[in-house]
Amino acid sequence: PPGGAGGAGGGVVDSPQREVSQAVMQQTAANLLDLDLGPPSAVAPAMDPHGSGGGDLLGGGLLSGTSDVMGGGGPSSTSSGGGDLFGSGGMGSPAAPALPELLRSDAGNGLTVRGDFVRFPSAPSGIGFKMELANSAGAPLSSFAMQFNKNIFGLKPAGPIEVGQLAPGQSDATVVPLTFQAAHRSPPEPTPNTVIKIALKDNRGSIHFFEQTVRFELLFSSDGKMEGKAYLSQWGTLQSSEVQAQIQVGRANVDAIEGRLNSEHVFTVARRQVANPEAKDVCYMSAKVAGAVDVLLEVAFLTASGVCVVSVRTKASPFAGLACDAMKRLISSA
């Protein structure tokens, strides 16, 4: 790093990731995320896809239809609003990719759900859940409400599903804003699970269960840029948490990759050209996960070999591998 902080900048390191005990990793992440590592009973139960866990998951008034945040749907529009929402625009605009199907019609008794996590700047977390609901049942569907199971990020809906009554054969789409809430976090694990379990209720009283993976890069918040001195100070103390990844990039356009990373809230702290022992272009970068966990990165582009070496350090050790995987996706798609 700038000013002499070490790391992987000197070359490619093939040594395996250092082992850190589960207890240490849990306590480290807990301290940083202000989690309560209480008895196992404090952890939200896993959802039963057959409905046996719905009472606990959907507590707080949702089952009785009195939830103040996740209660019945929004405006009573019954038009198919997917076109404008998904940015298909007018003639000549490229069609948006289809959302993955999360709940089939047969499993949902005539309700089909497609959805994915997306960036949504107006949400408290900067993340939204984009979803499309389609009714192939024989009667109107309405009063949609949704909850997430507890998860390591504390991610949960921050508003209602703005979809009104759907007549048979109709569909509509919306983006539900999400927030981070400490009380909704589950204790950390050595390998955090990025799958979010979701429950959806409709006017029939039916509760449907499905899940979707949140891409770790979506959790990088807009306040993740660190000052150089803070970066140097933290980098030197986090050596034991370092995780590395190598990415074949060929003759990379480093400026373009750096710009893409910045747009995804992976911010440049400094950038240096290094000649010895091997010519490389090194970006020292920072990000913040869920508005709480600092992630420090060294991204070195080795000119001769066409390899990018990403080194990640963070106090929340379980997040280091997830950050590496996110960087692979972002750099490979830049």
Side-chain angles (χ1 to χ4, degrees), residues 21-245:
S21 71
Q22 176 175 340
V24 172
M25 286 190 290
Q26 287 185 335
Q27 193 58 53
T28 300
N31 291 341
L32 195 60
L33 291 172
D34 193 26
L35 293 174
D36 179 12
L37 290 182
S41 59
V43 182
M47 291 198 304
D48 182 345
H50 301 291
S52 61
D56 291 336
L57 176 69
L58 293 172
L62 185 55
L63 283 174
S64 61
T66 60
S67 171
D68 57 345
V69 174
M70 305 316 300
S76 58
S77 166
T78 57
S79 64
S80 177
D84 289 341
L85 178 74
F86 294 125
S88 59
M91 295 179 61
S93 300
L99 292 169
E101 185 176 73
L102 306 180
L103 181 70
R104 300 189 314 273
S105 176
D106 58 343
N109 296 323
L111 174 65
T112 301
V113 178
R114 295 180 179 273
D116 204 359
F117 294 96
V118 297
R119 286 210 180 277
F120 194 45
S122 62
S125 64
I127 306 172
F129 189 71
K130 179 186 287 189
M131 61 190 309
E132 180 180 343
L133 306 176
N135 180 11
S136 60
L141 296 178
S142 63
S143 303
F144 301 104
M146 179 172 64
Q147 281 193 355
F148 292 177
N149 203 354
K150 283 190 174 182
N151 53 85
I152 191 172
F153 310 115
L155 197 62
K156 62 176 295 185
I161 300 175
E162 297 285 351
V163 171
Q165 179 172 286
L166 296 179
Q170 287 190 316
S171 65
D172 204 352
T174 189
V175 179
V176 178
L178 306 179
T179 188
F180 298 120
Q181 187 176 95
H184 202 64
R185 292 180 182 137
S186 60
E189 302 172 356
T191 304
N193 191 347
T194 61
V195 174
I196 307 297
K197 296 181 182 295
I198 302 170
L200 179 72
K201 180 188 174 185
D202 60 38
N203 62 308
R204 301 170 296 185
S206 302
I207 301 174
H208 312 286
F209 298 92
F210 49 91
E211 60 185 35
Q212 179 62 300
T213 298
V214 57
R215 297 182 303 282
F216 195 69
E217 53 268 35
L218 291 178
L219 299 165
F220 295 157
S221 52
S222 59
D223 60 346
K225 184 175 177 62
M226 298 182 68
E227 297 297 328
K229 289 183 179 179
Y231 180 97
L232 284 172
S233 175
Q234 287 199 39
W235 182 269
T237 65
L238 296 173
Q239 184 174 357
S240 64
S241 72
E242 184 172 299
V243 174
Q244 287 194 343

Side-chain angles (χ1 to χ4, degrees), residues 215-284:
R215 297 182 303 282
F216 195 69
E217 53 268 35
L218 291 178
L219 299 165
F220 295 157
S221 52
S222 59
D223 60 346
K225 184 175 177 62
M226 298 182 68
E227 297 297 328
K229 289 183 179 179
Y231 180 97
L232 284 172
S233 175
Q234 287 199 39
W235 182 269
T237 65
L238 296 173
Q239 184 174 357
S240 64
S241 72
E242 184 172 299
V243 174
Q244 287 194 343
Q246 298 183 25
I247 309 163
Q248 287 290 339
V249 293
R251 297 174 62 86
N253 183 335
V254 179
D255 291 338
I257 294 175
E258 180 186 14
R260 169 69 191 283
L261 293 176
N262 288 174
S263 72
E264 295 288 344
H265 299 165
V266 182
F267 299 102
T268 304
V269 177
R271 182 173 166 181
R272 299 285 185 269
Q273 301 287 334
V274 180
N276 292 312
E278 180 179 357
K280 56 192 171 186
D281 197 342
V282 186
C283 296
Y284 305 97

Side-chain angles (χ1 to χ4, degrees), residues 220 226 285-289 293-297 312-314 323:
F220 295 157
M226 298 182 68
M285 314 188 83
S286 66
K288 184 173 287 188
V289 178
V293 181
D294 288 323
V295 176
L296 285 68
L297 307 103
V312 178
R313 297 184 183 184
T314 176

